[in-house]
């Protein structure tokens, strides 16, 4: 498995080459953020009731003859009463044939995450979104609604 520093530098290189027009990305998003709030799970911690959402993003491209696949996961907790939001972020580097949005399946492909690495992934996300806004043909982007179910165990 790649070290976080290696992934950071690889993402930096991928972003530079994307800006130079050398890489075309396929990005797939699955999120529960726009689902009906009455259908979302609630988690209570220390007397605070959090509404839960999750967002998966799959990033795929070919670079220097190699396929690159990364999936990110964000658990979003929102307390509307206090207008607070808390997030937890995970990054996965699965093999190409494991491009799915199922946390239990992806866990064995997790990369040690840090604020610096999460920020680098966020920069990639923002760059690709901006490219898509300017030219929808520049990034193959699809988004679907997800369903969040809490697995007990």
């Amino acid at each position: 498995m790649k070290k976080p520093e290696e992934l950071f530098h690889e993402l930096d290189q991928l972003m530079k080459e994307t800006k130079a027009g050398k890489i075309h990305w396929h990005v797939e998003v699955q999120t529960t953020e726009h689902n009906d709030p009455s259908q979302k799970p609630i988690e209570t911690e220390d007397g605070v009731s959090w509404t839960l959402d999750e967002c998966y993003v799959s990033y795929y491209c070919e670079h220097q003859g190699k396929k690159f696949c990364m999936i990110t996961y964000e658990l979003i907790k929102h307390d509307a009463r206090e207008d607070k939001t808390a997030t937890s972020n995970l990054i996965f580097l699965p093999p190409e044939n494991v491009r799915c949005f199922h946390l239990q399946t992806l866990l064995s492909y997790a990369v040690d995450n840090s604020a610096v690495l999460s920020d680098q992934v966020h920069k990639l996300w923002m760059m690709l979104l901006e490219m898509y806004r300017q030219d929808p043909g520049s990034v193959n982007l699809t988004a679907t609604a997800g369903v969040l179910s809490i697995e007990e165990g």
Side-chain angles (χ1 to χ4, degrees), residues 7 28 55-60 68-74 89-103 105-106 109-111 121:
L7 179 57
E28 187 177 348
C55 182
Y56 287 94
V57 181
S58 170
Y59 301 86
Y60 175 79
F68 175 82
C69 180
M70 176 177 72
I71 297 175
T72 60
Y73 172 83
E74 182 175 34
N89 298 282
L90 298 171
I91 299 171
F92 309 100
L93 294 174
E96 184 185 0
N97 63 339
V98 184
R99 290 191 345 204
C100 65
F101 295 144
H102 185 261
L103 193 55
T105 303
L106 292 169
Y109 305 107
V111 174
V121 170

Side-chain angles (χ1 to χ4, degrees), residues 65-131:
K66 294 182 182 175
K67 296 175 180 177
F68 175 82
C69 180
M70 176 177 72
I71 297 175
T72 60
Y73 172 83
E74 182 175 34
L75 177 66
I76 306 149
K77 297 178 173 184
H78 185 72
D79 174 16
R81 191 181 46 144
E82 297 289 328
D83 195 30
K84 291 192 295 190
T85 301
T87 63
S88 299
N89 298 282
L90 298 171
I91 299 171
F92 309 100
L93 294 174
E96 184 185 0
N97 63 339
V98 184
R99 290 191 345 204
C100 65
F101 295 144
H102 185 261
L103 193 55
Q104 295 303 321
T105 303
L106 292 169
L107 283 175
S108 62
Y109 305 107
V111 174
D112 288 336
N113 199 1
S114 67
V116 172
L117 184 55
S118 284
D119 185 58
Q120 187 77 330
V121 170
H122 183 71
K123 287 177 184 175
L124 172 64
W125 169 249
M126 295 304 292
M127 180 189 75
L128 294 173
L129 276 183
E130 184 57 30
M131 288 174 60

Side-chain angles (χ1 to χ4, degrees), residues 21-71:
K22 297 178 182 178
I23 298 175
H24 185 80
W25 288 87
H26 298 271
V27 179
E28 187 177 348
V29 180
Q30 185 181 82
T31 184
T32 62
E33 290 181 273
H34 302 289
N35 293 1
D36 182 343
S38 68
Q39 302 299 312
K40 296 180 181 187
I42 305 289
E43 177 181 272
T44 303
E45 281 181 18
D46 301 323
V48 177
S49 293
W50 299 94
T51 301
L52 304 180
D53 277 303
E54 66 182 2
C55 182
Y56 287 94
V57 181
S58 170
Y59 301 86
Y60 175 79
C61 71
E62 291 192 24
H63 174 248
Q64 296 180 343
K66 294 182 182 175
K67 296 175 180 177
F68 175 82
C69 180
M70 176 177 72
I71 297 175

